[in-house]
Amino acid sequence: MSYYFETRDLAVGYHGKPLIKDISIGVEPGEIITLIGPNGSGKSTILKSITKQLSAIAGTVYIGKDELNKMTYKDVAKKVAVVLTERIKPELMTCRDVVASGRYPYTGRMGILTEEDEEKVNDAMKKVNALDLSSKSFDAISDGQKQKVLLARAICQEPEIIVLDEPTSFLDIRHKVDLLNVLREMARENSTTVIMSLHEIELAYKMSDKLLCVKGDHIEHYGTVEEIFSKERIKELYDLNDETFEMYFSSINFYD
């Protein structure tokens, strides 16, 4: 079976040394895939490797029939939008300028936006409730506001795939819900594939179609929420004892 997005025997790491090996997953358009696992398990490394931010050590990533390592960065940018935890540091750029940079894969060499591009910038900022930030310096706003602006930039890119590393970081409950609703809308209405990492188990449970459990030097499990979300599996993934598990996760309806 062929998938829209696929990794085959992928190995990721740094300086030629694999951190995680044998990553083989398939994703369909419009699916929401969430990476879960302990801090430092390599979730961010996987996300960087499937977006060409970091070179894979072995294996292949496919977007449609194209191999990621044979695609130009501009071609990748037309298909994949990325929101990573490392903050961009634009100098003298307003929030609107940052969002507008999502249109650059589609502009000419001069990077001049058309009227249609400007409308797409407006629409993206409206979706994340960030229009009021348009004229503010990106350097001068809070981390939570920056997260909204970076999501707007990703939406403005009109990606087929959006990859996000801990997108709910720095956000309060209301804005976490707003952001995840935007992602769900993109998946359901535009068939955008969403691949992200989350710390919040309950949000991963409610948002995801499939889960990728990352621990040690391998993928522990990959499958639907129903297949993955059992008490024993989550306890094993995070090394939780019964008392700690019940204290934090008793309200979640885990599968047997």
Side-chain angles (χ1 to χ4, degrees):
M1 180 179 180
S2 60
Y3 294 92
Y4 173 66
F5 176 88
E6 188 174 5
T7 67
R8 296 181 190 171
D9 303 319
L10 187 67
V12 303
Y14 299 90
H15 310 299
K17 296 181 179 179
L19 177 64
I20 306 169
K21 298 178 287 185
D22 303 322
I23 307 168
S24 295
I25 64 171
V27 185
E28 297 290 359
E31 285 191 317
I32 299 176
I33 312 302
T34 303
L35 282 64
I36 60 174
N39 283 345
S41 59
K43 299 185 295 296
S44 296
T45 305
I46 293 173
L47 295 180
K48 289 177 183 177
S49 300
I50 65 173
T51 55
K52 216 171 181 178
Q53 309 286 314
L54 183 67
S55 296
I57 292 172
T60 311
V61 178
Y62 291 92
I63 300 176
K65 295 180 180 179
D66 298 321
E67 292 185 29
L68 181 68
N69 64 352
K70 294 180 180 179
M71 298 172 67
T72 67
Y73 283 100
K74 187 168 185 177
D75 287 339
V76 173
K78 288 180 179 179
K79 291 182 177 292
V80 184
V82 184
V83 182
L84 298 177
T85 50
E86 287 87 353
R87 296 287 176 220
I88 64 170
K89 298 179 180 179
E91 295 184 7
L92 304 176
M93 288 181 72
T94 66
C95 292
R96 185 180 179 82
D97 292 335
V98 172
V99 176
S101 68
R103 297 304 303 163
Y104 290 166
Y106 306 97
T107 61
R109 291 183 179 179
M110 300 299 291
I112 298 173
L113 272 62
T114 65
E115 185 176 331
E116 181 183 356
D117 290 325
E118 296 286 2
E119 288 178 5
K120 291 181 186 296
V121 173
N122 281 339
D123 290 342
M125 297 192 79
K126 282 180 184 176
K127 274 194 173 181
V128 300
N129 297 312
L131 268 179
D132 59 321
L133 301 174
S134 293
S135 61
K136 293 186 178 180
S137 169
F138 185 80
D139 289 333
I141 61 176
S142 70
D143 284 334
Q145 290 171 323
K146 286 178 180 177
Q147 195 79 327
K148 290 167 63 176
V149 170
L150 293 177
L151 178 59
R153 182 184 67 168
I155 293 170
C156 199
Q157 213 170 311
E158 295 186 305
E160 296 176 14
I161 302 170
I162 182 168
V163 177
L164 310 101
D165 192 6
E166 301 296 344
T168 56
S169 297
F170 312 111
L171 300 179
D172 59 28
I173 292 295
R174 176 196 161 191
H175 290 107
K176 284 182 183 183
V177 172
D178 288 346
L179 180 147
L180 293 175
N181 281 338
V182 169
L183 295 177
R184 193 195 303 274
E185 180 182 310
M186 291 175 69
R188 301 297 180 257
E189 296 184 5
N190 303 329
S191 294
T192 306
T193 297
V194 178
I195 304 174
M196 63 180 170
S197 62
L198 283 178
H199 280 308
E200 300 97 326
I201 290 296
E202 58 273 33
L203 294 181
Y205 167 76
K206 292 175 181 178
M207 274 291 297
S208 310
D209 296 306
K210 291 179 181 176
L211 296 170
L212 184 70
C213 302
V214 185
K215 186 179 183 183
D217 63 355
H218 64 286
I219 299 302
E220 287 253 314
H221 304 285
Y222 176 63
T224 65
V225 174
E226 292 81 0
E227 291 169 336
I228 301 301
F229 247 82
S230 69
K231 292 182 180 180
E232 291 307 314
R233 195 160 282 166
I234 296 302
K235 283 165 58 180
E236 177 187 353
L237 181 63
Y238 290 98
D239 293 322
L240 301 174
N241 59 36
D242 290 335
E243 182 179 353
T244 303
F245 180 88
E246 291 299 329
M247 182 182 301
Y248 289 100
F249 301 118
S250 59
S251 62
I252 297 179
N253 181 29
F254 285 88
Y255 296 92
D256 294 327

